[in-house]
Amino acid sequence: MKRRDFLKVAPAAALAAPAVAQAQTAAPTRNETLLLVQEYGPNSLDMQGIGSSQPVNGVALNCYDRLVKFKQVRVDDVTTSFDINALEPELAESWQDASDGTSVTFKIRADARFHSGRTVTARDVKWSLDRAVSIGGFATTQMNAGSLEKPEQFVAVDDKTFRIDFLRRDKLTMPNLAVTIPFVFDSELAIRNSGGDVWAKDYLKNNIAGGGAFKVEAWRPGTETIYTRNDDWKNGPLPKLRRVIARDIPSPSTRRALIERGDADISYGLPPKDFADLAAAGRVRVSAVPVPNAIWYVALNSSLPPFNNVKLRQAVAWAIPYEQIMQASLFGRGVPMWGGPSTPAQLTWPVPFPYTSNIDRAKALMAESGVAPFSTSLVFDAGSGTIAEPMAVLVKEALAPLGITVELNKVPGANFRGELNKKTAPMVINRFGGWLDWPDYFFFWNYHGNNSIFNVAAYQNPAMDRLIDAARFAPNAPAYADAVRGFLELGMQEVPFIPIAQPFHDVAMQRTIGGYQFWPCREPDFRFLTKG
């Protein structure tokens, strides 16, 4: 397929999807047009909506604004990451903590406008955050992770003044405002088209009602999403790109070929082997950022027999072929998470667990567990099959000497989260990355008894809950350190999750591409990309 064919766009009148913005009057030049090839695109235009897929974060990032953003930090000549402890203005031009520490007040930019032309008001901010804490699902849980839980916390003081009243002192509250979920809708537009639904879920699933740096010109699920620059955006430097075509190409070999031939500008989500090959060849740039707060892991369902037996879980952890997985599945594109001390060397996450490949020790623990040989199943995401499937095969082979027969169950990517939410799978291979880079944040999502969708091991332990909560709301540094050390050590002993590696987030791009920005959501930010 030639680049000129890739860049063809159907007339707006022929679009099947409902989200259409006005096209630019003057056609963007080649250097103002970016072609992104990805495995799959957004299944919705509303990241707060129930069931939204990972790429919908990119829609929220580029088409909507948040009150604040993380400070950018240079990694190398092409890649910028972020400082989670430093916030900068986005939709808010300033903010001030109350002297008693019970609230924070934001001043909204006077020149901020939605795509509709309406001025952004504090009422829009309140409606948007009210929605995020009320709609349910991932959005509400994400807000709760920063103690943003009730509509009553959000106050529109006047048109340009917005206040958040804190439920408690929580170090995650302000950083949580910079992730993709608490974005700001044009509430009047949403309500006008809501059809009586208080949160306009159907309308916002299919239409943009934002004021971000880009508009959605066309959305063809399964084929492409086309973005055009919002020339009236005032909440940051006007992007250099005027048009972005995000093309959905399920085949990784096709995506790699398009990058290698120069027919596409940028791609992510390729298999690790492809990124290793591309980096070695040197014809394109490969940006590799260890994903903060993230691991590939094997989860063992600790709520159901037989993996509710801690000795059995430890036996499995000693049987895992870590080095083989790193080479045959990840091709070295990650940081090993095995072979660490029994007491964590650093109070961070991820940290290496003390397990290594030791089949004799695994057999001894299997005998101690009292569990007879059995058959079980291991679930993994077909959408991550290039990594997860060879990992699953190696795990299956490694457990056979323990008398554990493993059936592999490859679940289509569209159904994988639903399968996880059932909490019935005995074994799961998955990757999780927490957006806020604190160990208690990861453990809140994965180990806490609130049993979020990401606690795929269905792990329940009141002692763990107390340690996680103590860390989240610790009054001082020594108390925080004690709590973190406690839950890390407990996680190592109980081992409902077996860490394999901290993954790299790899992105391949032509050498003419600059300004790549890595954010916690891992989706590309078109606002900073340049094309020379």
Side-chain angles (χ1 to χ4, degrees), residues 290-353:
V291 181
N293 215 244
I295 56 169
W296 276 102
Y297 62 76
V298 177
L300 306 174
N301 194 320
S302 61
S303 69
L304 299 172
F307 292 115
N308 59 346
N309 185 312
V310 67
K311 293 287 188 182
L312 175 60
R313 298 199 298 268
Q314 292 171 349
V316 173
W318 285 108
I320 296 291
Y322 299 97
E323 186 61 44
Q324 286 179 272
I325 289 174
M326 178 61 85
Q327 299 309 318
S329 176
L330 292 166
F331 291 87
R333 309 299 293 177
V335 181
M337 285 296 127
W338 67 89
S342 56
T343 296
Q346 294 178 306
L347 300 182
T348 59
W349 184 261
V351 293
F353 273 28

Side-chain angles (χ1 to χ4, degrees), residues 1-8 35-37 223-224 245 247-251 253-264:
M1 187 176 290
K2 299 297 184 184
R3 182 182 183 84
R4 60 179 175 270
D5 299 319
F6 246 63
L7 295 178
K8 289 179 180 176
L35 177 60
L36 162 73
V37 289
T223 303
E224 66 183 3
I245 302 171
R247 186 66 51 84
D248 303 344
I249 307 288
S251 166
S253 60
T254 302
R255 297 199 304 277
R256 173 175 171 171
L258 289 165
I259 283 288
E260 288 185 305
R261 292 201 308 260
D263 291 334

Side-chain angles (χ1 to χ4, degrees), residues 177-256:
L177 293 172
V179 302
T180 50
I181 290 299
F183 54 90
V184 177
F185 292 99
D186 182 338
S187 62
E188 290 187 10
L189 178 63
I191 292 168
R192 191 163 60 246
N193 292 279
S194 68
D197 174 11
V198 65
W199 301 126
K201 292 187 289 292
D202 286 343
Y203 177 74
L204 294 172
K205 180 178 180 178
N206 295 291
N207 297 272
I208 297 296
F214 285 85
K215 306 175 182 180
V216 171
E217 177 186 290
W219 175 44
R220 304 179 182 91
T223 303
E224 66 183 3
T225 308
I226 301 175
Y227 302 84
T228 54
R229 189 178 70 189
N230 172 19
D231 290 340
D232 295 325
W233 191 58
K234 306 297 183 184
N235 301 329
L238 195 65
K240 301 295 184 185
L241 297 174
R242 291 179 56 199
R243 186 179 182 82
V244 177
I245 302 171
R247 186 66 51 84
D248 303 344
I249 307 288
S251 166
S253 60
T254 302
R255 297 199 304 277
R256 173 175 171 171

